[in-house]
Amino acid sequence: MPIKFALENMSTQASNRSYRYPDRTQLPYHNGNPMHVGGNGNYCVQQNHDDVNYISSDDGSQSSSSRVQDFQAQFCTLDSSSANCVYPAHSSTSSQSISGSPLSQQESHSDHAYGSSPSASCITQVPTWTLKDLENVMLGPDSDIGSPDSSFLLDTALHGNNWRELLGIQTGDLRQVIVACGKAVDENAVYMDALMSELREMVSVSGEPMQRLGAYMLEGLIARLSFTGHALYKSLKCKEPVATSSELLSYMHLLYEICPFFKFGYMSANGAIAEAVKGEDIIHIIDFQIAQGSQWMTMIQALASRPGRRPYLRITGIDDSNSAHARGGGLDMVGQRLHRMAQSCGLPFEFNAVPAASHEVVFEDLCLRSGEAIVVNFAYQLHHTPDESVGIENHRDRILRMVKSLSPKVVTLVEQEANTNTAPFFLRYMETLDYYTAMFEAIDVACPRDDKKRISTEQHCVARDIVNLIACEGAERIERHEPFGKWRARLVMAGFRPYPLSPVVNRTIKTLLDSYHSHYRLEERDGILYLGWKNRKLVVSSAWC
């Protein structure tokens, strides 16, 4: 199929700028966009080297794109969309027709591989071809790659539906189109516009799980090309006028209720903490991202119901200013809420607010006192802390070493089981697709597809992370997950040893899952708890001392 090579490399000689491909070979860079030129249906490639931007990936490679004002005109982005109008639903597209389920490819990390990456099977669906192959197979070794005849062959390839067949995309296979779009953006392929237009027609925020996920992955690709990912992420997470604080709270509460991920994390962490502080009179919990403080409501009740003398509880709540809008105020609101709960239970209580990002916290912020039983909680937080791949200082390991110096009774870690921290763009894109396929399926069985509140919840609580993963690089990429194997290596290097979770915690969570869908899976391995959907692990909970 020689024209397959033409789609990738036909006009690469047009510029002396270089582009680094995933195989690290250097090919001349060309920024070409198909452009309709007449009623005969032919297309030509428009040469333009004046308006080119480069996106640097964390692995040091570069991808390039134009400023894509035309993309913003074609596609409705998250920051301008509403629950009523983002994408039309297309009932003809069915997730049941999607071949190659990402759930079958989910075992992409190993606990024994430090910094493992998604399996190669995830990235072979859209092939990479070379200029030499193109010249030899299609035009001959002595041909002029920029000749009018070669342009005509490219025009023919882009005309009609030929490009689907040439790329090996089956009609109606949404997942293949999502994968192909990511590959095209990664390599700045000339057929990128056509693929993204195709994807737009197949996705819907009120459709099936893959349609909804595809809509937000498309938003991420558009934001990546237009360099708007960080602003969009912040607006969806915490900034007005996208949503009021009360609306954001209701979205987060809905996600908390319909999926057991947060309950699983909080319950498992609290179980380990309760076990570690039995018999202690003064307990100091340091929470590195306290958010609303919801995790500690049940802990306060449990400590207050302890037989005999009730302990004295201090909580140090750490959180950056971005969470203030979601709460409708600063950390003092969290302290007041927890104080009211403690007062109603008769539990002596004190709150210490630290308004700072996790990587900004220093020893003095913690206000330690002698005689305290110290507990440190990292619930869905540590992956937000930058490491050596972001800057010259490794805050992720620095924080762990500082915490170890406190001699804590227990440290709890709850994290998403994904591998997106240092993975290059396309591997990260595939990991995002696989991980969130499972999450969107889990949401789908719990909430009607046309529920507007469900749509808003996915936009503000899930899509924001997808956009950040796909669109952002460097310090602007906040979502930097690591598989448990790497977290374990970091903790061991900092001097920690495992603190196995109690079997009581395991039984309690199994009881919790009885009220959810049967596709949820709970696995215990060496005192570590994994919660998954079908055969994809999604969350892992562990404790250390």
Side-chain angles (χ1 to χ4, degrees):
M1 291 181 287
I3 297 181
K4 290 173 73 174
F5 302 107
L7 284 170
E8 188 78 15
N9 297 312
M10 177 62 73
S11 53
T12 54
Q13 86 297 341
S15 169
N16 60 5
R17 287 186 174 128
S18 64
Y19 174 86
R20 186 176 297 171
Y21 279 70
D23 63 0
R24 305 302 184 222
T25 58
Q26 293 294 320
L27 296 178
Y29 170 74
H30 165 68
N31 178 36
N33 293 310
M35 177 178 176
H36 192 70
V37 295
N40 59 2
N42 289 337
Y43 287 77
C44 72
V45 176
Q46 181 180 12
Q47 308 281 347
N48 180 7
H49 311 297
D50 298 327
D51 192 23
V52 176
N53 293 292
Y54 292 86
I55 304 173
S56 298
S57 296
D58 291 339
D59 66 341
S61 62
Q62 286 186 327
S63 61
S64 50
S65 69
S66 62
R67 289 191 181 278
V68 294
Q69 285 92 343
D70 53 334
F71 278 123
Q72 293 175 329
Q74 292 176 34
F75 304 106
C76 186
T77 55
L78 277 168
D79 55 343
S80 61
S81 64
S82 68
N84 295 320
C85 173
V86 178
Y87 298 102
H90 295 275
S91 58
S92 61
T93 303
S94 171
S95 60
Q96 299 301 317
S97 67
I98 298 171
S99 61
S101 169
L103 296 175
S104 66
Q105 302 170 348
Q106 63 88 20
E107 294 296 339
S108 57
H109 350 282
S110 169
D111 287 352
H112 308 288
Y114 192 86
S116 56
S117 60
S119 62
S121 63
C122 293
I123 62 172
T124 57
Q125 301 179 48
V126 182
T128 301
W129 307 292
T130 67
L131 183 59
K132 189 67 176 175
D133 288 333
L134 169 62
E135 293 173 344
N136 290 339
V137 177
M138 185 175 186
L139 302 173
D142 299 322
S143 62
D144 181 359
I145 194 70
S147 67
D149 289 342
S150 65
S151 295
F152 173 76
L153 290 171
L154 178 60
D155 300 343
T156 303
L158 290 173
H159 177 54
N161 295 327
N162 290 350
W163 59 270
R164 293 186 189 87
E165 180 181 352
L166 296 171
L167 288 173
I169 297 174
Q170 300 178 13
T171 301
D173 194 323
L174 176 55
R175 188 178 189 276
Q176 284 188 1
V177 176
I178 294 173
V179 173
C181 279
K183 188 71 170 176
V185 169
D186 185 40
E187 300 183 353
N188 198 48
V190 295
Y191 52 83
M192 179 173 61
D193 297 42
L195 272 174
M196 293 178 74
S197 294
E198 177 81 358
L199 181 57
R200 182 194 183 280
E201 294 303 316
M202 299 176 73
V203 298
S204 167
V205 296
S206 59
E208 298 174 349
M210 190 66 73
Q211 288 178 296
R212 306 202 308 266
L213 175 57
Y216 299 125
M217 294 192 75
L218 175 60
E219 297 288 357
L221 291 175
I222 296 166
R224 182 178 181 85
L225 291 168
S226 56
F227 301 94
T228 59
H230 187 59
L232 183 53
Y233 172 77
K234 289 186 70 175
S235 70
L236 289 170
K237 183 178 182 180
C238 59
K239 297 295 184 183
E240 295 177 302
V242 175
T244 66
S245 60
S246 61
E247 287 173 336
L248 281 174
L249 283 173
S250 67
Y251 302 153
M252 290 184 285
H253 180 73
L254 178 62
L255 186 62
Y256 181 87
E257 291 299 325
I258 64 178
C259 293
F261 306 123
F262 293 103
K263 291 180 181 178
F264 162 79
Y266 294 163
M267 288 177 65
S268 56
N270 284 358
I273 292 169
E275 181 75 17
V277 299
K278 283 193 303 186
E280 298 289 345
D281 293 328
I282 305 174
I283 301 167
H284 184 183
I285 297 174
I286 302 171
D287 189 345
F288 267 79
Q289 187 172 323
I290 197 165
Q292 309 298 323
S294 302
Q295 178 176 352
W296 308 118
M297 294 296 188
T298 55
M299 176 62 69
I300 289 172
Q301 292 172 328
L303 292 175
S305 63
R306 180 191 290 182
R309 196 176 76 171
R310 294 169 176 172
Y312 185 95
L313 176 63
R314 294 182 66 215
I315 293 181
T316 291
I318 302 166
D319 213 349
D320 60 36
S321 59
N322 287 337
S323 299
H325 176 65
R327 281 192 297 264
L331 284 170
D332 56 320
M333 296 185 64
V334 180
Q336 292 168 10
R337 183 184 182 204
L338 294 175
H339 189 272
R340 285 194 297 270
M341 172 61 75
Q343 192 174 38
S344 68
C345 297
L347 184 73
F349 178 78
E350 183 180 342
F351 184 77
N352 173 40
V354 180
S358 60
H359 66 275
E360 299 170 336
V361 176
V362 295
F363 182 86
E364 291 73 20
D365 293 326
L366 305 179
C367 300
L368 302 182
R369 299 171 187 168
S370 61
E372 296 179 327
I374 296 173
V375 170
V376 179
N377 184 61
F378 294 107
Y380 301 99
Q381 184 279 327
L382 205 52
H383 72 274
H384 289 152
T385 304
D387 67 355
E388 69 278 7
S389 66
V390 181
I392 59 174
E393 188 170 3
N394 186 344
H395 292 288
R396 197 169 288 194
D397 288 346
R398 179 187 69 82
I399 290 294
L400 289 176
R401 290 194 299 269
M402 182 185 74
V403 167
K404 180 60 180 174
S405 73
L406 308 180
S407 300
K409 286 285 185 178
V410 70
V411 174
T412 53
L413 177 69
V414 182
E415 279 292 346
Q416 293 165 253
E417 182 65 357
N419 188 14
T420 63
N421 184 24
T422 58
F425 170 71
F426 188 65
L427 291 178
R428 187 169 79 240
Y429 182 85
M430 290 301 300
E431 177 76 339
T432 301
L433 174 60
D434 288 352
Y435 186 93
Y436 285 97
T437 294
M439 179 167 283
F440 273 81
E441 287 182 358
I443 295 173
D444 194 63
V445 301
C447 219
R449 291 176 183 170
D450 59 352
D451 187 328
K452 292 182 180 180
K453 192 172 182 180
R454 193 270 311 153
I455 294 172
S456 295
T457 296
E458 287 180 346
Q459 284 184 351
H460 292 279
C461 302
V462 184
R464 69 185 188 194
D465 296 346
I466 295 172
V467 168
N468 189 257
L469 284 164
I470 294 174
C472 298
E473 298 292 349
E476 289 188 342
R477 184 152 62 81
I478 308 301
E479 303 299 326
R480 292 179 167 273
H481 310 97
E482 293 183 320
F484 178 69
K486 191 163 184 177
W487 289 122
R488 180 169 58 190
R490 288 186 185 276
L491 285 154
V492 170
M493 285 190 297
F496 289 97
R497 57 185 177 83
Y499 184 99
L501 296 174
S502 167
V504 175
V505 176
N506 197 336
R507 291 194 297 270
T508 303
I509 294 174
K510 284 182 177 179
T511 301
L512 166 71
L513 293 180
D514 287 342
S515 60
Y516 289 89
H517 198 279
S518 61
H519 283 332
Y520 284 105
R521 299 283 186 269
L522 182 66
E523 178 183 343
E524 188 271 336
R525 192 190 309 160
D526 299 326
I528 311 300
L529 287 182
Y530 298 84
L531 178 62
W533 174 262
K534 297 180 180 177
N535 62 333
R536 169 78 207 209
K537 296 180 180 67
L538 295 175
V539 183
V540 58
S541 181
S542 60
W544 303 81
C545 63

